[in-house]
Amino acid sequence: MAMKCLVLNGPNLSRLDLREKNYYGEITYQDIEEAINKEAATLQIEAEIRQSNDESEIISWLHEAADNKIPIIFNPAAFTHYSYAIRDAVVMLKAPCIEVHLSNPLSREEFRHTSVISGVVDGTIAGFGLDSYRLALRALQQLVK
Ligand code: DQA
């Protein structure tokens, strides 16, 4: 049976084409969706991809994942650095959760050096662009096995 997972993306990731080219290159949100869909098909994973700029909506999705024991790949975007509410929701998850970032936040501004999420997920993959998502799908599959 195909593993199901949710891929959750936080604020401003839908507008990558307008963001810092030195960190995100030419990657668009559509590229993220395509890369995930392609890799998921290869790995026979059923991945549902969502994006929101709204903290409350993301928290509701995490509650839904907790209630249904759904594994998560999560790019919390800027919420990574300060949302204790999202961290508290991640703590309640019952299936594995992998944090991903396109860029490497540790090589950017100092406020990005803190992740309030990293300490409550199974692992973090950062700095590999679209490959961060592809690697996360592989890692998640191993964790769920
Ligand atoms: C990001 C890194 C965050 O610091 C930033 O706020 C983002 C994207 C990344 O994928 O590299 O919006 O999560």
Side-chain angles (χ1 to χ4, degrees):
M1 206 176 66
M3 177 186 102
K4 279 192 190 161
C5 78
L6 273 179
V7 183
L8 303 184
N9 293 292
N12 302 307
L13 287 169
S14 55
R15 291 168 66 84
L16 278 176
D17 45 320
L18 303 170
R19 296 182 66 188
E20 303 98 310
K21 295 260 173 279
N22 50 329
Y23 293 117
Y24 306 113
E26 299 297 325
I27 296 173
T28 64
Y29 184 67
Q30 205 191 336
D31 294 335
I32 295 181
E33 289 182 317
E34 280 172 16
I36 294 166
N37 284 330
K38 205 162 159 216
E39 191 73 359
T42 305
L43 297 170
Q44 294 184 304
I45 295 174
E46 225 178 276
E48 186 183 331
I49 309 165
R50 301 181 191 174
Q51 188 275 330
S52 179
N53 299 320
D54 181 347
E55 188 177 24
S56 130
E57 187 169 36
I58 292 171
I59 291 169
S60 299
W61 290 343
L62 291 166
H63 292 172
E64 176 192 330
D67 291 345
N68 297 293
K69 298 191 174 61
I70 302 171
I72 302 254
I73 289 172
F74 191 18
N75 185 346
F79 288 141
T80 305
H81 312 301
Y82 67 92
S83 177
Y84 298 120
I86 286 182
R87 178 192 164 101
D88 285 347
V90 171
V91 170
M92 288 187 278
L93 292 172
K94 303 225 168 50
C97 178
I98 298 180
E99 176 188 357
V100 306
H101 300 283
L102 293 159
S103 66
N104 176 4
L106 294 176
S107 68
R108 300 179 61 181
E109 304 96 316
E110 203 164 339
F111 75 88
R112 298 184 203 273
H113 297 184
T114 299
S115 168
V116 301
I117 307 299
S118 294
V120 293
V121 293
D122 291 272
T124 300
I125 301 172
F128 301 104
L130 293 175
D131 278 341
S132 293
Y133 287 90
R134 296 188 183 105
L135 291 164
L137 282 167
R138 286 178 185 267
L140 194 64
Q141 193 168 53
Q142 291 303 317
L143 283 176
V144 170
K145 251 185 197 166

